[in-house]
Amino acid sequence: MRQHQREPVRPTKRCLEDLGGSFPPLEQRLHGIDHPVVVRAQQVPFEVAARGAERVVAIDDLVWLKVKTGHHRAAVHKLDPAGEHPAVLSEGSAWWWIGAAGMRKADSGSDDFYARLEAECKRAGKGTGRVSSLHLLPTDVDLKRLQAELATQVVVSVREIVCRLVANSIRSGSAWSARLHGHEISVLVRARDGDAYIAIVAEQFIDPNFLAVILRSVPGVDSADWLEEPGGAMGVQPGFGQIVRSAIIPPEYQSKIVDQHGGETQNP
């Protein structure tokens, strides 16, 4: 059983290429990729805490730790939060990275992954008298992937919460509310002649892009279908600093939403 993930260990683009892969869809968190190297690497922070991690001694410009699983090998490094400035690293708690990976094909030193990695770092540090592993650290493309991944996770989580509110309002006929990233959102759905009329109430100072994410989260309702309701809708009157949007959910989507998202019994 895998332990609760508190410090994710992410593969770099270089690492994924070493393993013969590439970036998966943004919905897939890189530290959750189902590959033996990535799965095994998640244990490194726990091993460090227990003082049981094994260091790649020959590469001494930075601290790299060994990952061994089957014939696979890899090297993991923890960035220093005090010395790293990109906010996205802190937002994603992305301090641990797998910088390189490969196969241990034989027991001979010349064919050993860590011997090959040492030779690579010696070439990178040529002229300095030292090895250099800086090229194994995450690059701009890794940070951009992390940023896009975090943004996608926000959209996915908002979509799930909004759908749950819609489903429970369809079932109960009452309004359901939740706080989404600091904003209060209320949803009310009422059936009429087979259609379901939905009203979403949000704070007026909500970011327009974030409001668009919320409105796009309702299955079967196109962005252009939403109407502004400054005077209220379905008996819902906007309070101070609130806005109301309304639309119709087609019948074929109502049961799908309830079946997939209608498991709550209490207002979130």
Side-chain angles (χ1 to χ4, degrees), residues 30-243:
L30 292 190
H31 67 270
I33 290 176
D34 188 19
H35 187 283
V37 164
V38 179
V39 173
R40 176 64 182 81
Q42 305 311 308
Q43 299 303 314
V44 172
F46 298 104
E47 293 173 349
V48 170
R51 299 185 178 181
E54 182 181 1
R55 183 171 176 176
V56 184
V57 179
I59 304 175
D60 58 3
D61 63 323
L62 297 172
V63 176
W64 290 93
L65 303 170
K66 294 183 178 181
V67 174
K68 299 179 180 180
T69 176
H71 291 292
H72 289 97
R73 299 290 184 266
V76 167
H77 173 71
K78 183 180 183 181
L79 299 175
D80 181 4
E84 297 293 337
H85 302 292
V88 67
L89 291 172
S90 179
E91 183 182 356
S93 297
W95 306 114
W96 292 89
W97 292 82
I98 314 171
M103 300 286 289
R104 180 182 175 89
K105 299 179 181 178
D107 292 330
S108 62
S110 62
D111 204 22
D112 177 72
F113 167 76
Y114 296 109
R116 296 194 304 273
L117 193 61
E118 178 189 358
E120 177 183 326
C121 292
K122 284 183 176 179
R123 290 193 297 272
K126 186 176 180 179
T128 67
R130 298 192 61 189
V131 298
S132 176
S133 61
L134 294 178
H135 64 288
L136 302 179
L137 296 177
T139 63
D140 286 344
V141 70
D142 295 303
L143 299 185
K144 289 179 180 178
R145 162 68 197 208
L146 174 60
Q147 189 171 37
E149 192 176 300
L150 292 172
T152 299
Q153 290 169 22
V154 170
V155 172
V156 170
S157 65
V158 167
R159 185 177 299 152
E160 175 61 31
I161 292 172
V162 170
C163 285
R164 190 168 71 242
L165 297 178
V166 173
N168 288 312
S169 186
I170 291 175
R171 287 165 44 129
S172 67
S174 59
W176 284 65
S177 303
R179 286 197 69 79
L180 300 176
H181 297 270
H183 299 289
E184 185 75 22
I185 305 296
S186 296
V187 173
L188 175 62
V189 182
R190 287 182 177 162
R192 185 183 306 165
D193 299 328
D195 288 325
Y197 290 76
I198 179 173
I200 289 184
V201 183
E203 298 166 344
Q204 192 163 1
F205 57 82
I206 191 170
D207 182 279
N209 294 325
F210 189 59
L211 178 59
V213 171
I214 293 171
L215 298 181
R216 286 198 299 267
S217 296
V218 182
V221 181
D222 189 80
S223 299
D225 295 337
W226 290 97
L227 301 176
E228 295 187 25
E229 301 285 3
M234 297 163 48
V236 176
Q237 296 297 321
F240 178 76
Q242 291 183 331
I243 56 176

